[in-house]
Amino acid sequence: MVTTNPGLLKWFTSKNPREVLYKIMPLLAIYLSLMFYQNISSLLMLIFIFIGVLTWSLFEYFTHRYLYHTNFKNKALRWFLESFHLYHHHHLKDYRVLNAGLLLVYPMAILFTTTMFFIVSDLQLTGAFGLGMLLYYYFYENIHYYIHYKTYKKGYMSMIQKYHLYHHYFKWNKNYGNTTRIWDIVFGTYDDGYKKMNFNSEQIDDLITKK
Ligand SMILES: [Zn+2]
Ligand SMILES: [Zn+2]
Protein backbone atom coordinates (compact mmCIF):
# COMPACT_ATOMS: atom_id res chain seq x y z
CA MET A 1 0.00 0.00 0.00
CA VAL A 2 1.45 3.35 -1.02
CA THR A 3 1.23 5.89 1.80
CA THR A 4 2.40 9.42 2.35
CA ASN A 5 4.18 11.14 5.21
CA PRO A 6 2.92 14.36 6.87
CA GLY A 7 6.51 15.45 7.64
CA LEU A 8 7.37 15.32 3.95
CA LEU A 9 4.16 17.02 2.88
CA LYS A 10 5.11 20.13 4.82
CA TRP A 11 8.22 20.72 2.72
CA PHE A 12 7.46 19.09 -0.57
CA THR A 13 3.82 19.99 -1.21
CA SER A 14 1.54 23.04 -1.17
CA LYS A 15 -2.16 23.28 -0.36
CA ASN A 16 -3.17 25.08 -3.55
CA PRO A 17 -1.76 27.29 -6.36
CA ARG A 18 -2.13 30.43 -4.19
CA GLU A 19 0.24 28.96 -1.60
CA VAL A 20 2.61 28.07 -4.46
CA LEU A 21 2.56 31.71 -5.56
CA TYR A 22 3.46 32.96 -2.07
CA LYS A 23 6.35 30.51 -1.91
CA ILE A 24 7.83 31.50 -5.27
CA MET A 25 7.52 35.29 -4.69
CA PRO A 26 11.16 35.69 -3.50
CA LEU A 27 12.45 33.85 -6.60
CA LEU A 28 10.17 35.90 -8.82
CA ALA A 29 11.50 39.13 -7.28
CA ILE A 30 15.11 38.01 -7.80
CA TYR A 31 14.59 37.07 -11.45
CA LEU A 32 12.69 40.29 -12.23
CA SER A 33 15.31 42.49 -10.60
CA LEU A 34 18.08 40.69 -12.49
CA MET A 35 16.20 41.23 -15.75
CA PHE A 36 15.61 44.93 -15.34
CA TYR A 37 18.77 46.27 -13.74
CA GLN A 38 19.85 47.74 -17.09
CA ASN A 39 18.50 47.96 -20.63
CA ILE A 40 18.78 44.99 -22.90
CA SER A 41 17.23 43.86 -26.18
CA SER A 42 13.67 42.81 -25.47
CA LEU A 43 13.82 40.21 -28.23
CA LEU A 44 16.74 38.50 -26.49
CA MET A 45 14.80 38.63 -23.22
CA LEU A 46 11.79 36.99 -24.87
CA ILE A 47 13.98 34.27 -26.36
CA PHE A 48 15.44 33.48 -22.92
CA ILE A 49 11.99 33.52 -21.29
CA PHE A 50 10.94 31.00 -23.94
CA ILE A 51 14.02 28.83 -23.28
CA GLY A 52 13.02 28.87 -19.59
CA VAL A 53 9.48 27.77 -20.50
CA LEU A 54 10.83 24.92 -22.64
CA THR A 55 13.30 23.85 -19.95
CA TRP A 56 10.64 23.57 -17.24
CA SER A 57 8.13 21.81 -19.48
CA LEU A 58 10.80 19.24 -20.40
CA PHE A 59 11.76 18.90 -16.74
CA GLU A 60 8.08 18.29 -15.93
CA TYR A 61 7.91 15.51 -18.54
CA PHE A 62 11.17 13.77 -17.61
CA THR A 63 10.56 13.96 -13.86
CA HIS A 64 7.13 12.41 -14.27
CA ARG A 65 8.34 9.71 -16.64
CA TYR A 66 11.72 8.73 -15.21
CA LEU A 67 11.63 9.74 -11.56
CA TYR A 68 8.07 9.28 -10.39
CA HIS A 69 7.29 6.15 -12.41
CA THR A 70 10.56 4.25 -12.02
CA ASN A 71 10.81 1.38 -9.58
CA PHE A 72 14.16 2.28 -7.99
CA LYS A 73 16.08 -0.41 -6.09
CA ASN A 74 17.09 2.01 -3.35
CA LYS A 75 14.38 1.64 -0.69
CA ALA A 76 14.77 5.09 0.83
CA LEU A 77 14.56 6.78 -2.56
CA ARG A 78 11.53 4.70 -3.48
CA TRP A 79 9.77 5.48 -0.22
CA PHE A 80 10.49 9.19 -0.74
CA LEU A 81 9.23 9.30 -4.33
CA GLU A 82 6.22 7.10 -3.67
CA SER A 83 5.07 9.53 -0.99
CA PHE A 84 4.11 11.98 -3.69
CA HIS A 85 3.30 10.87 -7.20
CA LEU A 86 2.47 7.20 -6.71
CA TYR A 87 0.51 8.15 -3.61
CA HIS A 88 -1.33 10.63 -5.83
CA HIS A 89 -2.07 7.83 -8.33
CA HIS A 90 -3.53 5.69 -5.55
CA HIS A 91 -5.40 8.49 -3.76
CA LEU A 92 -6.67 10.81 -6.45
CA LYS A 93 -9.04 12.58 -4.13
CA ASP A 94 -6.40 13.60 -1.62
CA TYR A 95 -5.78 17.23 -2.54
CA ARG A 96 -2.70 17.48 -0.28
CA VAL A 97 -0.42 16.07 -2.97
CA LEU A 98 -1.71 18.00 -5.97
CA ASN A 99 0.87 20.80 -5.72
CA ALA A 100 4.61 20.72 -5.13
CA GLY A 101 6.36 22.68 -2.39
CA LEU A 102 9.46 24.66 -1.55
CA LEU A 103 11.91 21.81 -1.78
CA LEU A 104 11.14 20.98 -5.38
CA VAL A 105 11.10 24.38 -7.02
CA TYR A 106 13.95 26.08 -5.12
CA PRO A 107 16.73 23.51 -5.62
CA MET A 108 15.77 22.93 -9.25
CA ALA A 109 15.42 26.64 -10.06
CA ILE A 110 18.81 27.38 -8.46
CA LEU A 111 20.44 24.46 -10.30
CA PHE A 112 19.01 25.45 -13.70
CA THR A 113 19.70 29.18 -13.38
CA THR A 114 23.25 28.61 -12.13
CA THR A 115 23.89 26.33 -15.12
CA MET A 116 22.45 28.95 -17.47
CA PHE A 117 24.65 31.65 -15.90
CA PHE A 118 27.76 29.52 -16.55
CA ILE A 119 26.68 29.09 -20.17
CA VAL A 120 25.80 32.71 -21.04
CA SER A 121 27.72 34.70 -18.32
CA ASP A 122 24.94 37.27 -18.28
CA LEU A 123 22.79 38.03 -15.25
CA GLN A 124 19.95 39.64 -17.18
CA LEU A 125 19.50 36.76 -19.58
CA THR A 126 19.76 34.34 -16.65
CA GLY A 127 16.97 36.33 -14.95
CA ALA A 128 14.80 36.11 -18.08
CA PHE A 129 15.43 32.37 -18.29
CA GLY A 130 14.53 31.99 -14.58
CA LEU A 131 11.34 33.97 -15.08
CA GLY A 132 10.28 31.72 -18.00
CA MET A 133 10.89 28.61 -15.89
CA LEU A 134 9.02 29.97 -12.92
CA LEU A 135 6.03 31.11 -14.99
CA TYR A 136 5.73 27.69 -16.55
CA TYR A 137 6.11 26.01 -13.17
CA TYR A 138 3.27 28.15 -11.78
CA PHE A 139 1.16 27.42 -14.87
CA TYR A 140 1.74 23.67 -14.31
CA GLU A 141 0.72 23.92 -10.65
CA ASN A 142 -2.53 25.65 -11.61
CA ILE A 143 -3.35 23.14 -14.33
CA HIS A 144 -2.66 20.09 -12.18
CA TYR A 145 -4.71 21.49 -9.32
CA TYR A 146 -7.75 22.52 -11.31
CA ILE A 147 -8.00 19.42 -13.50
CA HIS A 148 -8.35 17.43 -10.26
CA TYR A 149 -10.66 19.97 -8.71
CA LYS A 150 -13.22 21.04 -11.31
CA THR A 151 -14.90 19.37 -14.25
CA TYR A 152 -14.28 20.98 -17.62
CA LYS A 153 -16.55 20.55 -20.61
CA LYS A 154 -14.63 22.15 -23.43
CA GLY A 155 -11.41 23.70 -24.65
CA TYR A 156 -7.84 23.14 -23.52
CA MET A 157 -8.80 22.42 -19.88
CA SER A 158 -11.22 19.66 -20.89
CA MET A 159 -8.65 18.12 -23.26
CA ILE A 160 -5.81 18.16 -20.71
CA GLN A 161 -8.16 16.89 -17.97
CA LYS A 162 -9.08 13.82 -20.04
CA TYR A 163 -5.46 13.41 -21.11
CA HIS A 164 -4.32 13.35 -17.48
CA LEU A 165 -7.18 11.19 -16.16
CA TYR A 166 -6.39 8.70 -18.93
CA HIS A 167 -2.81 8.55 -17.57
CA HIS A 168 -4.15 8.00 -14.05
CA TYR A 169 -6.87 5.47 -14.76
CA PHE A 170 -5.93 3.62 -17.91
CA LYS A 171 -2.26 3.82 -18.90
CA TRP A 172 0.20 5.12 -16.33
CA ASN A 173 3.06 4.61 -18.86
CA LYS A 174 1.53 6.96 -21.46
CA ASN A 175 0.59 10.63 -21.58
CA TYR A 176 3.04 11.94 -18.96
CA GLY A 177 2.55 15.58 -19.94
CA ASN A 178 0.31 17.40 -17.46
CA THR A 179 0.20 20.64 -19.42
CA THR A 180 1.08 19.74 -23.00
CA ARG A 181 1.01 16.71 -25.31
CA ILE A 182 4.12 17.84 -27.23
CA TRP A 183 6.79 15.90 -25.30
CA ASP A 184 4.74 12.69 -25.30
CA ILE A 185 4.51 12.95 -29.08
CA VAL A 186 8.23 13.75 -29.43
CA PHE A 187 9.39 10.94 -27.10
CA GLY A 188 6.91 8.25 -28.15
CA THR A 189 4.63 8.06 -25.11
CA TYR A 190 1.57 9.66 -26.67
CA ASP A 191 -1.66 7.63 -26.61
CA ASP A 192 -4.75 9.14 -28.17
CA GLY A 193 -7.03 6.73 -26.26
CA TYR A 194 -8.03 9.67 -24.05
CA LYS A 195 -10.03 11.03 -27.01
CA LYS A 196 -12.24 7.96 -26.93
CA MET A 197 -12.95 8.24 -23.22
CA ASN A 198 -16.64 8.92 -23.30
CA PHE A 199 -16.88 10.22 -19.79
CA ASN A 200 -19.68 12.66 -19.18
CA SER A 201 -19.32 15.48 -16.65
CA GLU A 202 -20.83 13.43 -13.80
CA GLN A 203 -18.35 10.61 -14.37
CA ILE A 204 -15.43 13.05 -14.39
CA ASP A 205 -16.85 14.58 -11.19
CA ASP A 206 -16.52 11.17 -9.57
CA LEU A 207 -12.88 10.85 -10.59
CA ILE A 208 -11.57 14.16 -9.34
CA THR A 209 -10.79 15.56 -5.92
CA LYS A 210 -13.74 17.84 -5.18
CA LYS A 211 -17.10 18.48 -6.73
ZN1 LIG B 1 -2.76 14.03 -11.26
ZN1 LIG C 1 1.85 9.59 -13.14
Side-chain angles (χ1 to χ4, degrees):
M1 186 66 186
V2 180
T3 57
T4 195
N5 178 315
L8 289 178
L9 292 181
K10 190 174 163 202
W11 294 102
F12 291 94
T13 64
S14 300
K15 283 196 189 80
N16 51 43
R18 196 174 34 178
E19 193 180 296
V20 171
L21 185 62
Y22 295 147
K23 287 176 180 171
I24 62 172
M25 286 287 195
L27 268 182
L28 207 56
I30 292 169
Y31 293 148
L32 284 172
S33 48
L34 284 178
M35 274 174 76
F36 294 111
Y37 85 96
Q38 65 184 43
N39 289 332
I40 195 168
S41 140
S42 48
L43 179 65
L44 211 50
M45 286 286 206
L46 280 178
I47 291 170
F48 272 77
I49 290 175
F50 183 65
I51 296 172
V53 164
L54 277 186
T55 303
W56 199 274
S57 72
L58 261 176
F59 169 70
E60 175 207 310
Y61 174 84
F62 282 116
T63 308
H64 190 182
R65 181 172 176 182
Y66 291 114
L67 204 61
Y68 291 148
H69 282 289
T70 297
N71 215 353
F72 289 100
K73 283 204 177 83
N74 183 301
K75 277 192 183 148
L77 179 63
R78 220 166 65 200
W79 167 80
F80 174 75
L81 292 171
E82 281 179 356
S83 301
F84 307 108
H85 194 68
L86 288 193
Y87 177 80
H88 172 50
H89 268 263
H90 286 84
H91 302 85
L92 280 183
K93 296 193 178 197
D94 188 342
Y95 70 92
R96 294 176 306 165
V97 287
L98 292 181
N99 289 130
L102 274 178
L103 287 183
L104 172 88
V105 61
Y106 274 74
M108 295 322 298
I110 291 167
L111 177 72
F112 288 143
T113 42
T114 310
T115 308
M116 182 51 86
F117 180 72
F118 278 112
I119 295 170
V120 295
S121 303
D122 185 296
L123 277 175
Q124 283 181 295
L125 295 180
T126 303
F129 167 76
L131 181 72
M133 267 188 348
L134 214 53
L135 290 178
Y136 202 82
Y137 165 68
Y138 184 58
F139 170 66
Y140 162 84
E141 293 291 13
N142 275 278
I143 300 298
H144 191 234
Y145 182 80
Y146 286 109
I147 58 179
H148 280 289
Y149 195 84
K150 269 169 90 168
T151 300
Y152 292 91
K153 293 190 177 121
K154 54 182 183 191
Y156 166 78
M157 290 303 282
S158 165
M159 179 281 289
I160 208 76
Q161 182 165 53
K162 284 186 179 159
Y163 194 73
H164 187 61
L165 291 178
Y166 186 75
H167 166 79
H168 274 306
Y169 285 98
F170 298 102
K171 286 197 183 159
W172 64 265
N173 58 352
K174 296 284 178 192
N175 299 1
Y176 293 104
N178 284 350
T179 47
T180 173
R181 296 172 294 187
I182 292 172
W183 301 125
D184 283 304
I185 295 169
V186 171
F187 296 111
T189 49
Y190 176 73
D191 184 333
D192 68 357
Y194 76 97
K195 289 182 181 169
K196 294 167 208 131
M197 270 181 20
N198 286 322
F199 287 155
N200 59 35
S201 301
E202 287 72 35
Q203 285 166 315
I204 292 181
D205 275 348
D206 284 339
L207 299 178
I208 62 176
T209 308
K210 286 187 181 176
K211 292 179 186 174

